Amino acid sequence: MKGVSFLATVAILALASSFVSAYDPSPLQDFCVAINDIKSGVFVNGKFCKDPAMVSANDFFFSGLNIPGNTGNKVGSNVTLVNVDKLPGLNTLGISLARLDFAPYGLNPPHTHPRGTELFVVIEGTFLVGFVTSNPNKLFTKVLNKGDVFVFPIGLIHFQFNIGETIGLAFAGLSSQNPGVITIASAVFGSVPPINPDVLIKAFQLDKNVVEYLQKAFAPN
């Protein structure tokens, strides 16, 4: 009887474990609205798979990360992302890569990756980096030098600032084939259509003129 009881307990735990481990796959785009007519469907969670008989080595290859990105912009940084759109072989593998170039005092402004954790590796330069937790918003920050590594947990607001007088270079690995990016200032003040100014005035406790100035500054070209 003890043996039967033990086996029953193991079976129940195994069944419970299977329920706990079962979950929907993580979304690989911002949304995927359900429809009943499959002929009208245009997106899946990820990309459609190529016939294996048609796959070649080039599907797993990307060239160009040796080329510096153009940092001649307002923030002085450039991100070259190698995701599934540029490297089809990444589909379903849950990983992507980015090259980040910085001018002296260049900034990768506060942003989030809704679908990926980021591992940041410094190749050249000195960086002030950090991320902010969910409420009550604790800041974790660190100065990084050549060879240092820092991780930014999935979905949290983070930044990278080259505090040196020379150019900066870093590479980042991300735990999604399509991690996505939301640049906070651009999303809030440069959305299309614009967020009602009254919402931003209330949320940020700013004067109306300041909100209108920021919306003009971040409006898409």
Side-chain angles (χ1 to χ4, degrees):
M1 290 298 293
K2 288 183 178 180
V4 173
S5 177
F6 174 75
L7 290 175
T9 302
V10 171
I12 292 171
L13 288 174
L15 185 60
S17 176
S18 69
F19 287 142
V20 170
S21 63
Y23 60 91
D24 290 334
S26 298
L28 293 171
Q29 60 272 329
D30 288 340
F31 52 81
C32 186
V33 178
I35 57 171
N36 292 323
D37 181 8
I38 60 173
K39 293 181 180 179
S40 299
V42 294
F43 286 107
V44 294
N45 190 25
K47 301 285 187 179
F48 291 102
C49 296
K50 192 175 186 178
D51 183 343
M54 304 297 293
V55 171
S56 72
N58 285 333
D59 293 315
F60 303 95
F61 174 78
F62 176 87
S63 179
L65 280 189
N66 61 310
I67 302 172
N70 181 11
T71 59
N73 49 56
K74 292 181 180 179
V75 294
S77 70
N78 183 279
V79 178
T80 304
L81 177 64
V82 183
N83 62 4
V84 68
D85 292 327
K86 294 183 178 179
L87 185 56
L90 289 177
N91 194 35
T92 76
L93 298 185
I95 193 171
S96 56
L97 179 69
R99 172 183 174 134
L100 297 91
D101 291 281
F102 296 81
Y105 303 106
L107 171 70
N108 190 12
H111 62 282
T112 74
H113 301 293
R115 294 178 290 274
T117 291
E118 177 179 348
L119 194 65
F120 183 82
V121 184
V122 178
I123 306 301
E124 297 289 345
T126 301
F127 291 87
L128 174 66
V129 305
F131 67 85
V132 180
T133 67
S134 53
N135 294 347
N137 306 132
K138 182 176 180 179
L139 171 66
F140 290 88
T141 185
K142 188 81 173 173
V143 173
L144 306 182
N145 295 292
K146 183 176 180 178
D148 289 343
V149 179
F150 199 83
V151 63
F152 304 102
I154 184 172
L156 298 185
I157 296 173
H158 59 282
F159 60 87
Q160 297 112 6
F161 182 33
N162 179 17
I163 58 176
E165 296 182 355
T166 61
I167 62 172
L169 172 63
F171 285 89
L174 298 118
S175 63
S176 172
Q177 68 185 49
N178 184 27
V181 62
I182 302 171
T183 305
I184 307 305
S186 298
V188 172
F189 295 106
S191 66
V192 179
I195 296 174
N196 187 309
D198 291 335
V199 173
L200 301 179
I201 291 168
K202 190 83 169 180
F204 291 94
Q205 297 294 291
L206 294 174
D207 182 83
K208 181 179 180 181
N209 292 331
V210 175
V211 169
E212 290 178 347
Y213 168 80
L214 289 171
Q215 287 188 312
K216 288 180 181 179
F218 287 97
N221 296 326

